[in-house]
Amino acid sequence: MLFPEKTEFKKRIPKQKFYTNMEITSSLKKAFVEQIKIIYWQNKLTSTTLNIDKGKSVLEIEVIEIKLNSKNLDEMVLSKIDKCIPYHILFLLEYEGMYQAFISYKEIENEKIKVNKYYHTQWLEKENLPCKIEGLNMDSVYENFVRQIAGAELNVGSEEKKNLKEDIEQAEEKKQLEKQISALQAKIRKTKQFNRKVELNNELKRLRKIICKI
């Protein structure tokens, strides 16, 4: 059991609820129909059920388990569910007894929902999923879920922890710089003109200095 018994909700949600009478593309509807077997609302993590303080931005964390027909699930399915439920969500995907945890840094403000990048684990035994309840309030419990599931993706090199949003932005900046560096290296290999090669190498050095500071 991943979470305390008093957090159990165990309610089946018909997957049709997410694509019937809602604006949805035909490809996304197809993903719901073909990729998902069953959706369960397994747990409701709240300050009351966890016996901790309330959060400023996180009121509840819903644990949604999705049983799949194969190991593949379009992330847009998770995003659609996230946008339909006005609480923070931890997704547990199950296929043939193995599990993946998925979570997004989800922002909810003035009834507006913004779903950011998803982080996920490898396929693991359920009891081995990195989903430990850590923190003195709901905000910190949620942030720790994101950090545990993201793992090295949010380990951006700085020993000093910033707030979660800043760490995510910094990790994304590093990822974009790495792409630019790879593209520059490929361009340098193809360039024959000496002066142009020098220019590209100078730009490469500049980007490497920036990434070293992150």
Side-chain angles (χ1 to χ4, degrees), residues 34-51:
E34 295 182 356
Q35 297 174 12
I36 292 176
K37 190 181 294 182
I38 305 170
I39 303 175
Y40 286 108
W41 197 326
Q42 292 285 35
N43 303 80
K44 290 175 77 72
L45 309 181
T46 68
S47 59
T48 303
T49 58
L50 296 178
N51 195 28

Side-chain angles (χ1 to χ4, degrees), residues 8-207:
E8 289 182 354
F9 191 57
K10 290 188 175 179
K11 181 180 179 181
R12 181 171 176 176
I13 307 174
K15 60 185 179 182
Q16 294 88 342
K17 280 198 169 188
F18 297 105
Y19 59 77
T20 304
N21 302 321
M22 286 188 184
E23 282 190 20
I24 191 170
T25 63
S26 57
S27 60
L28 187 52
K29 180 178 178 180
K30 185 178 179 183
F32 268 99
V33 172
E34 295 182 356
Q35 297 174 12
I36 292 176
K37 190 181 294 182
I38 305 170
I39 303 175
Y40 286 108
W41 197 326
Q42 292 285 35
N43 303 80
K44 290 175 77 72
L45 309 181
T46 68
S47 59
T48 303
T49 58
L50 296 178
N51 195 28
I52 59 174
D53 291 337
K54 295 179 180 179
K56 289 182 180 179
S57 58
V58 181
L59 301 177
E60 295 184 11
I61 302 170
E62 317 304 341
V63 181
I64 306 291
E65 184 171 325
I66 303 176
K67 294 188 178 297
L68 302 177
N69 288 315
S70 73
K71 278 189 173 182
N72 299 316
L73 179 66
D74 190 329
E75 279 189 14
M76 290 304 295
V77 168
L78 301 182
S79 183
K80 181 65 177 177
I81 296 172
D82 248 324
K83 288 174 181 175
C84 289
I85 297 174
Y87 295 106
H88 294 77
I89 301 175
L90 166 61
F91 292 99
L92 303 181
L93 309 188
E94 186 273 340
Y95 178 68
E96 294 187 345
M98 299 297 286
Y99 285 79
Q100 267 189 316
F102 267 77
I103 198 165
S104 165
Y105 175 60
K106 181 176 178 178
E107 298 174 273
I108 304 172
E109 190 173 342
N110 299 325
E111 297 183 358
K112 291 182 179 178
I113 296 174
K114 181 182 178 184
V115 179
N116 294 279
K117 170 186 170 65
Y118 280 95
Y119 298 99
H120 65 85
T121 66
Q122 299 299 314
W123 287 97
L124 302 165
E125 298 283 347
K126 190 173 187 178
E127 60 270 20
N128 293 329
L129 290 172
C131 300
K132 293 180 182 178
I133 296 170
E134 296 177 345
L136 301 177
N137 59 57
M138 291 301 298
D139 289 345
S140 58
V141 168
Y142 178 71
E143 289 192 6
N144 282 317
F145 278 157
V146 176
R147 290 188 186 280
Q148 289 171 45
I149 292 168
E153 280 197 68
L154 284 182
N155 181 14
V156 290
S158 174
E159 292 182 6
E160 180 186 350
K161 273 191 177 181
K162 304 175 180 66
N163 67 50
L164 181 60
K165 186 173 183 177
E166 287 177 348
D167 277 353
I168 288 171
E169 288 171 352
Q170 195 173 37
E172 189 58 30
E173 182 187 358
K174 184 177 181 181
K175 186 177 178 182
Q176 293 304 317
L177 283 168
E178 286 170 345
K179 284 183 180 179
Q180 290 178 48
I181 286 171
S182 293
L184 260 178
Q185 287 172 329
K187 194 177 285 187
I188 289 168
R189 285 193 294 270
K190 292 178 183 177
T191 301
K192 294 180 180 179
Q193 187 180 350
F194 178 76
N195 289 342
R196 180 60 178 153
K197 222 177 181 71
V198 170
E199 287 176 11
L200 293 174
N201 272 303
N202 287 336
E203 177 64 8
L204 184 61
K205 287 175 186 176
R206 187 184 72 82
L207 293 179

